[in-house]
Amino acid sequence: MLRSLVGSEMCIRDRAGIVSTDEARTICDGLEKVKTEWANGTFKIQPSDEDIHTANERRLTELVGAVAGKLHTGRSRNDQVATDMRMWLADEIKEMREQMVGLLEVASDRAEAEVQVLMPGYTHLQKAQPVRWSHWIMSHASGWQRDIQRLDHMLERVNVMPLGSGALAGNPFGIDRVALANELGFARVSPNSMDAVSDRDFVAEFMFWSTMTMVHLSRWAEDLIIYSSGEFKYVSMADAYSTGSSLMPQKKNPDALELLRGKSGRVAGGLSGFLMVLKGTPSTYNKDMQEDKQILFDAVDTIKDAIPIATGVLSTLTISPDKMRSALQPEMLATDLAEYLVRKGVPFRETHHTAGEAVRVSEERGVPLSQLSLDDLKQLNSSFEADVSSVWDFEASVNSRDVIGGTSERALLEQVSNMREWCKHKPRSAL
């Protein structure tokens, strides 16, 4: 990136009559040597080096002489740093997008393979209605899909070149910023030099994206932590993503999931802290903005570790279909009982009350809802008939919700097919 950034600018300056072709070649060749020294660990930082830019220019001068002094013509560390950060983050975003797509592909494969497995669906962490295990998987995949969509939109705003803005007032040497942006791979140039050197919206936006993505992973992890507990035993974590207890040999702790959950708080804290840094800064560049590096680098590292871990967990965990099925209870079909009456022409408000009364009667008698007789039900509503027995079928219940986004097998497989097709598309910024 160093050679590309400076080499392209030297080329543009050549057109502006500032740096000759020979001088540009000398500078770029020298920078290549500097780059090699960094790569092989032989670059020696000196006490006089203020930052990476002055270190590079100092070393370049040692290698090629006084012509290195033209390197900084019309430039400021203000626009250089902002440009470097945007180029670096754009590359990282593309890598993270590929990771997220990989997670979606694993989710889609698993959802299709295990589409027949039924389990309780929960609201308020209480059993609510029967759903497919695959429906649960795709519910989280939908959130991850939105994360990718936000990432694509954000990349368009990251891909704006501030180079040529100088310290705050612009470049006085007539550099063609549009041509420079094209050579460096930016989509467009920043429209205002004062804003360009202080704009860290892209950092804050990435921090929000990181926070939202980690929140999605944390909620998914929390579900699996619950489902893997001894009280549920719906799933079992692979040994690679869990550990035993140092004291209790029977324990198998979902450490990877707990770390994902914990890391989400760290990333969210970075977002809050950086917004507090930005809120009090006056216009253009201020030294406060160097605080963007630590939180940005940490968030990128965290996300790039978290996504593969989540992918590994999802691809290797073992499910217990029997445990999930045995957790289904007739009371979870109370809504289906109300819907049965709706199909008989009874208004829903009335059927909802009737189903609630049926639940009350079953609880008072200490029997499952499905064991109420036809006579018991007719006392609650005369529209009940012998075919009410068909209500107590979990498979029929999930398949009755045969709408886009529903729990039927057809609707679920449609979700999977649509997700796979979506994963194939490339964002506009990558075209």
Side-chain angles (χ1 to χ4, degrees), residues 13-307:
R13 286 181 180 173
D14 180 27
R15 297 173 198 169
I18 300 168
V19 179
S20 70
T21 301
D22 288 343
E23 288 174 328
R25 185 179 301 112
T26 297
I27 290 173
C28 287
D29 288 346
L31 285 170
E32 191 64 29
K33 295 176 182 177
V34 173
K35 178 183 176 182
T36 300
E37 290 182 3
W38 278 111
N40 61 28
T42 61
F43 189 99
K44 291 184 172 55
I45 298 175
Q46 302 298 329
S48 60
D49 295 334
E50 295 181 21
D51 59 17
I52 186 67
H53 302 99
T54 56
N56 286 335
E57 186 174 342
R58 184 263 308 159
R59 181 57 180 149
L60 181 64
T61 302
E62 294 171 354
L63 292 171
V64 303
V67 69
K70 291 193 173 186
L71 178 66
H72 200 61
T73 304
R75 294 197 301 176
S76 166
R77 281 177 291 186
N78 295 356
D79 63 349
Q80 282 180 281
V81 168
T83 301
D84 290 344
M85 288 181 67
R86 287 175 180 270
M87 292 180 74
W88 176 81
L89 184 56
D91 288 341
E92 295 295 323
I93 284 174
K94 292 169 187 174
E95 289 186 27
M96 285 180 276
R97 186 186 198 280
E98 290 302 311
Q99 289 182 325
M100 290 294 293
V101 168
L103 178 57
L104 284 184
E105 290 172 342
V106 168
S108 299
D109 290 346
R110 183 132 209 177
E112 181 180 50
E114 297 167 338
V115 70
Q116 299 298 332
V117 178
L118 302 188
M119 67 176 291
Y122 296 83
T123 63
H124 309 279
L125 206 56
Q126 300 179 63
K127 292 178 181 179
Q129 290 180 283
V131 298
R132 295 185 185 277
W133 158 251
S134 298
H135 201 57
W136 175 85
I137 294 175
M138 295 306 292
S139 73
H140 288 284
S142 295
W144 299 332
Q145 181 186 37
R146 292 193 299 275
D147 293 329
I148 297 175
Q149 291 167 339
R150 275 187 285 268
L151 200 59
D152 290 344
H153 295 155
M154 178 173 57
L155 183 56
E156 296 178 10
R157 290 181 287 279
V158 171
N159 203 18
V160 177
M161 188 191 77
L163 197 63
S165 297
L168 78 162
N171 188 291
F173 297 107
I175 286 176
D176 187 341
R177 294 186 68 214
V178 173
L180 180 55
N182 289 336
E183 292 201 32
L184 291 176
F186 284 99
R188 59 187 185 277
V189 300
S190 55
N192 182 284
S193 61
M194 292 180 71
D195 173 66
V197 297
S198 64
D199 174 18
R200 294 299 185 273
D201 290 6
F202 70 99
V203 177
E205 188 172 0
F206 178 80
M207 290 303 301
F208 170 78
W209 177 84
S210 301
T211 298
M212 195 73 256
T213 300
M214 287 301 297
V215 165
H216 285 154
L217 290 176
S218 179
R219 296 188 69 198
W220 168 81
E222 174 65 7
D223 276 356
L224 286 179
I225 290 169
I226 292 170
Y227 295 163
S228 67
S229 68
E231 288 72 20
F232 285 75
K233 295 185 178 179
Y234 294 170
V235 302
S236 178
M237 310 300 299
D239 289 345
Y241 298 98
S242 57
T243 63
S245 167
S246 61
L247 177 65
M248 299 166 284
Q250 82 280 11
K251 295 289 295 297
K252 187 176 183 180
N253 300 321
D255 284 11
L257 294 171
E258 291 173 351
L259 288 171
L260 288 176
R261 188 176 59 184
K263 290 289 185 180
S264 65
R266 174 172 172 162
V267 173
L271 168 64
S272 299
F274 185 58
L275 290 175
M276 294 306 100
V277 170
L278 285 182
K279 74 174 183 63
T281 54
S283 60
T284 77
Y285 183 78
N286 297 271
K287 201 66 171 178
D288 315 47
M289 292 174 185
Q290 73 175 14
E291 292 297 314
D292 58 5
K293 313 298 184 302
Q294 184 177 9
I295 58 101
L296 178 63
F297 296 159
D298 184 69
V300 168
D301 288 344
T302 300
I303 286 284
K304 289 179 72 176
D305 286 341
I307 301 170

Side-chain angles (χ1 to χ4, degrees), residues 377-391:
L377 294 174
K378 276 186 169 292
Q379 291 180 29
L380 301 176
N381 193 299
S382 61
S383 295
F384 281 115
E385 298 177 15
D387 62 350
V388 71
S389 61
S390 64
V391 167

Side-chain angles (χ1 to χ4, degrees), residues 351-362:
T351 72
H352 182 272
H353 174 75
T354 300
E357 282 297 295
V359 171
R360 180 186 61 79
V361 171
S362 71

